[in-house]
Amino acid sequence: ELTPMAIAAGRRLADRLYGSSSIDGNLRGSGETANTVATKVSYETVPTVVFSHPPIGTCGLSEPEAIAKYGQDNIKIYKSTFANMLYGIFDVEADDKPKTMMKLITAGSEELVVGIHILGMGADEMLQGFGVAMKMGATKADLDSCIAIHPTAAEELVTMGAWGLSPQVSGAKVSPLNGAKGPEPTTSMNSKM
């Protein structure tokens, strides 16, 4: 994860030194300083993967870190261990098939997702997308509201635990819960140029 983090930090440094970035991105590179903010890279919830066989990936807090930060009574842990469906066609006993393990850590009454940990094939690809969701404040209910893609290992993260029992609280700017319409852009990109 060194190269992507170095690139992200370098881009933010270049913005601060040689360009400007506004809160809404409209003044980027224009040299204007009104309504600008210094851009800095966030070192929180950075998806990280060890490219072993199978790969191991993590994003956010570990279970001990979550307990230390929020307290045992304020976190909820969801776990799953299964044979990846890729191995379904092989004539091997189920117990002998490579396993995928997943852990989802939530905190607070709204069950904010504060940690996702995956050991198994595709952990690297899955964490890239779930890392975005975590940066945007995803809750367990947000994951539950996502329709699973079948057959994939990633579907386990959006079907984990008893469905629908999480508090129906969304971390999204526009809530996807209860069949709500998705977000729409506020203005056209051409009108800002």
Side-chain angles (χ1 to χ4, degrees):
E1 305 309 317
L2 296 176
T3 301
M5 184 54 76
I7 290 169
R11 286 178 176 165
R12 277 27 166 238
L13 176 62
D15 281 347
R16 288 195 311 272
L17 295 176
Y18 304 108
S20 63
S21 297
S22 71
I23 293 170
D24 63 6
N26 292 331
L27 300 176
R28 184 179 182 90
S30 69
E32 302 222 10
T33 58
N35 299 321
T36 61
V37 293
T39 57
K40 295 182 180 177
V41 71
S42 170
Y43 294 94
E44 306 247 336
T45 60
V46 175
T48 304
V49 174
V50 176
F51 290 99
S52 54
H53 298 284
I56 304 166
T58 183
C59 187
L61 301 176
S62 67
E63 186 173 344
E65 290 170 334
I67 291 169
K69 185 169 184 175
Y70 301 110
Q72 180 71 52
D73 294 340
N74 292 316
I75 66 165
K76 190 166 183 182
I77 308 295
Y78 298 87
K79 295 179 184 179
S80 182
T81 301
F82 58 95
N84 191 307
M85 292 184 78
L86 175 77
Y87 301 110
I89 61 170
F90 296 102
D91 188 22
V92 177
E93 291 296 319
D95 290 343
D96 295 332
K97 293 180 182 180
K99 300 296 184 270
T100 296
M101 292 180 263
M102 296 181 173
K103 182 188 283 189
L104 181 67
I105 303 168
T106 65
S109 59
E110 72 278 18
E111 291 195 53
L112 178 72
V113 177
V114 297
I116 295 178
H117 310 281
I118 305 170
L119 168 69
M121 185 179 300
D124 46 351
E125 299 293 339
M126 286 183 265
L127 276 175
Q128 188 71 73
F130 285 104
V132 172
M134 286 183 66
K135 287 270 190 192
M136 297 177 75
T139 63
K140 176 67 167 76
D142 289 325
L143 297 185
D144 289 347
S145 75
C146 183
I147 304 301
I149 299 172
H150 182 74
T152 66
E155 74 180 294
E156 192 71 17
L157 285 170
V158 299
T159 59
M160 195 175 282
W163 185 86
L165 296 181
S166 297
Q168 295 300 292
V169 177
S170 175
K173 188 174 181 179
V174 175
S175 173
L177 304 178
N178 300 317
K181 185 178 175 188
E184 294 288 335
T186 53
T187 59
S188 111
M189 290 179 64
N190 292 333
S191 67
K192 294 266 185 169
M193 296 186 157

